[in-house]
Amino acid sequence: MRKNSCIILFLLLFTGMSLQAQAKKWTLRECVEYALKNNITIKQTDLDNQIAAIDKSDAFGSMLPTVNGSASHGWNIGLNFNPVTNNAETQTFQNTRVGLDVGVDIYKGLQNQNRLRKTKLGIIAAQYQLDKIKDDISLNVANAFLQILFNKENLKVQIEQQTNNEKQQQRTQELVNAGSVPRGDLLDIKATVASNKQAVVIAENTLFISKLSLAQLLQLDDFQNFDIVDSDYEVPESETMKQTPEAIYAKAKEQRVELKIARTNLEMAEKDLKISSGAYQPTLRGFYSFGSNATTAYTNPFFMQLSDNKSHSFGVSLNVPIFNGFSVRNNVQRSKVALERSKIAFSQQELDLERNVYTAFKDANGALNSYESAVSALEARTEAYNYAKEKFNVGLMNAFDLNQAQTLYVNAQSEVLRTKYDYIFRIKVVEFYFGIPIIQN
């Protein structure tokens, strides 16, 4: 009995935990934060950051001395020169040699230094690119989140309308039984109820697809149980919209990563030109070499021979480029072309950012006007629909005209919801350009 009680208690706890897990509803902040941690594109871009760090390590390493050790052991059979007497002898002996070579670039046209500066810029550019991807994903998540909210509200409207039509069908049935309205009105109402049921099914499917889209954006496997918090977002009073487009653009030029990426790419192109131009200049390299050898042709002990046969050499080597088949000149010309492209890309990015800011600002104002117009239209359609129901109830309007008034009323409700969430998203885009994070409010 006690064992059975324990089993029942465990099942109840497990069931409760499962229901609690399934009942989780995501907020916008949770969706954005989860996407930024788990999105595949972000993970791939983060690997680019690691490659940029490795490139920097390579560039730094090229400025350090190179040190290489060597060792060899060989057998000489037959006629060979005796390393001791330097005479040709026919005998077999073994020879061992060890060495150490050190080299360092003293001057290389500042190519190594400029290459290091370029890799540092590459790390900055990779981080900017990661930030841009995070911004894009945040906007996509916010848009998908608001789309779900709209679809939820729209489903409520369709269900509410279906309930009202079913009540209207019952009322019409009573009027038909009493002989107050013709039977054709009842058939029209039944057709309307059937259409409403179809509209509810379509709204449910649309809601499911929007949830699936956001769940996939978050890389969630269990999209069947995915849902968001049923927040009733009010139309915001945005302080950013009180700014001028010029002020928003000026702020965006300081903060938006698109422009920072283009500027950093321009600086990297300038470093490439300096690197390629550095090949015109002479290079000076210092070297040091140590070596020793021992042989069985000599009777002294092995380590004594290594000590006695030590040799050192050091010095500098100068290399002056005179003619290299136009390779240096062509590399410089390519760098100049790449630099001009980067300048054009930077200018184009400024124009794109300006256009995007002004477009976002105009779209937000247009969305507000659409929302306000939709609200006014809904108020009028509500009064018209209520008046139509009153006329129908007293026999002054047929079912077809009532259905027309009802359809216009439902469409007006949906349009208010659509324009409302569209305006909320447009506001977030403008605030985004102004430097306000998506999940701040």
Side-chain angles (χ1 to χ4, degrees):
M1 183 69 180
R2 183 177 180 182
K3 181 179 181 181
N4 292 337
S5 299
C6 293
I7 295 176
I8 293 174
L9 179 61
F10 173 76
L11 292 175
L12 289 174
L13 290 174
F14 179 78
T15 303
M17 293 174 62
S18 300
L19 292 175
Q20 184 179 4
Q22 294 179 2
K24 172 180 172 55
K25 292 188 175 183
W26 296 64
T27 65
L28 176 58
R29 176 180 291 275
E30 289 175 335
C31 288
V32 172
E33 291 178 347
Y34 187 89
L36 296 182
K37 291 180 180 178
N38 297 276
N39 186 269
I40 293 178
T41 305
I42 291 179
K43 292 181 179 179
Q44 291 176 337
T45 307
D46 188 56
L47 294 177
D48 294 336
N49 284 3
Q50 297 181 32
I51 294 297
I54 295 173
D55 291 340
K56 177 187 174 183
S57 179
D58 280 340
F60 180 75
S62 66
M63 301 175 64
L64 300 177
T66 58
V67 180
N68 295 285
S70 63
S72 64
H73 184 83
W75 285 260
N76 296 275
I77 303 174
L79 183 62
N80 290 284
F81 283 95
N82 190 312
V84 178
T85 64
N86 206 27
N87 294 325
E89 299 178 5
T90 301
Q91 64 172 321
T92 300
F93 59 89
Q94 301 179 43
N95 185 55
T96 300
R97 179 169 182 80
V98 295
L100 180 70
D101 296 298
V102 179
V104 60
D105 288 328
I106 299 175
Y107 183 76
K108 199 178 179 181
L110 301 179
Q111 288 179 301
N112 292 338
Q113 290 83 349
N114 286 320
R115 190 171 288 110
L116 178 60
R117 296 187 185 105
K118 179 189 173 183
T119 57
K120 290 180 179 179
L121 291 172
I123 293 177
I124 297 174
Q127 183 59 51
Y128 285 155
Q129 188 64 38
L130 179 61
D131 293 340
K132 182 182 183 301
I133 292 176
K134 288 182 177 180
D135 288 343
D136 292 342
I137 290 175
S138 297
L139 277 177
N140 292 337
V141 169
N143 188 24
F145 189 92
L146 293 175
Q147 187 64 43
I148 294 176
L149 289 179
F150 163 69
N151 291 332
K152 281 190 171 188
E153 294 296 326
N154 187 55
L155 177 59
K156 292 179 182 178
V157 169
Q158 299 299 332
I159 292 176
E160 180 182 359
Q161 195 57 44
Q162 180 183 351
T163 302
N164 293 335
N165 283 329
E166 289 174 348
K167 293 179 180 179
Q168 189 65 43
Q169 180 180 343
Q170 295 176 358
R171 173 61 178 163
T172 303
Q173 181 69 59
E174 295 173 357
L175 293 176
V176 169
N177 294 337
S180 301
V181 296
R183 183 173 178 80
D185 286 355
L186 177 61
L187 296 178
D188 285 338
I189 289 294
K190 287 183 177 180
T192 301
V193 171
S195 298
N196 283 148
K197 290 181 179 179
Q198 182 181 9
V200 169
V201 172
I202 293 175
E204 289 175 342
N205 291 339
T206 304
L207 175 59
F208 174 78
I209 294 299
S210 61
K211 288 182 179 180
L212 173 61
S213 299
L214 181 53
Q216 290 180 336
L217 190 59
L218 300 181
Q219 307 295 327
L220 294 177
D221 295 329
D222 187 17
F223 61 88
Q224 294 284 353
N225 297 316
F226 175 75
D227 200 0
I228 64 172
V229 174
D230 298 326
S231 300
D232 185 14
Y233 279 77
E234 299 296 331
V235 175
E237 181 71 22
S238 176
E239 294 295 326
T240 306
M241 291 303 298
K242 298 178 181 179
Q243 302 284 337
T244 63
E246 293 78 9
I248 297 175
Y249 173 59
K251 190 70 174 294
K253 287 181 66 175
E254 298 176 358
Q255 298 187 356
R256 288 307 307 144
V257 291
E258 297 93 333
L259 209 57
K260 292 180 180 180
I261 292 173
R263 185 181 295 110
T264 305
N265 288 337
L266 176 58
E267 294 175 357
M268 292 173 66
E270 292 173 346
K271 292 296 183 289
D272 276 333
L273 179 57
K274 291 182 178 180
I275 292 171
S276 59
S277 299
Y280 278 129
Q281 302 182 34
T283 59
L284 185 64
R285 183 173 178 81
F287 64 88
Y288 167 78
S289 179
F290 166 81
S292 183
N293 66 292
T295 176
T296 57
Y298 197 53
T299 57
N300 289 348
F302 177 79
F303 288 103
M304 181 180 293
Q305 292 185 55
L306 290 179
S307 178
D308 293 340
N309 298 335
K310 291 184 295 185
S311 64
H312 303 268
S313 64
F314 56 89
V316 294
S317 61
L318 179 66
N319 182 36
V320 180
I322 298 176
F323 182 75
N324 293 282
F326 304 115
S327 62
V328 175
R329 188 194 68 175
N330 291 338
N331 287 337
V332 171
Q333 293 301 319
R334 290 190 188 95
S335 298
K336 288 181 178 179
V337 172
L339 177 59
E340 289 303 315
R341 285 182 175 176
S342 296
K343 290 180 179 178
I344 295 173
F346 178 73
S347 300
Q348 184 62 54
Q349 191 61 61
E350 285 186 317
L351 294 175
D352 292 344
L353 181 61
E354 184 179 29
R355 183 183 66 252
N356 291 339
V357 168
Y358 276 80
T359 301
F361 189 82
K362 294 298 182 182
D363 287 347
N365 280 326
L368 176 59
N369 293 333
S370 298
Y371 172 71
E372 292 175 345
S373 298
V375 171
S376 299
L378 177 59
E379 293 175 355
R381 293 299 179 189
T382 302
E383 294 181 6
Y385 178 53
N386 291 334
Y387 181 63
K389 287 193 296 183
E390 293 176 1
K391 292 178 65 177
F392 178 79
N393 289 334
V394 297
L396 297 178
M397 178 179 286
N398 58 36
F400 178 80
D401 291 335
L402 176 62
N403 290 339
Q404 292 297 313
Q406 175 183 289
T407 300
L408 294 174
Y409 168 66
V410 173
N411 291 340
Q413 285 182 302
S414 298
E415 185 64 12
V416 167
L417 292 173
R418 186 193 68 79
T419 54
K420 170 186 174 181
Y421 287 108
D422 181 61
Y423 175 61
I424 292 174
F425 179 70
R426 300 295 177 185
I427 286 294
K428 286 188 172 294
V429 173
V430 175
E431 293 176 342
F432 171 74
Y433 281 119
F434 199 65
I436 300 176
I438 292 296
I439 57 177
Q440 179 166 316
N441 48 40

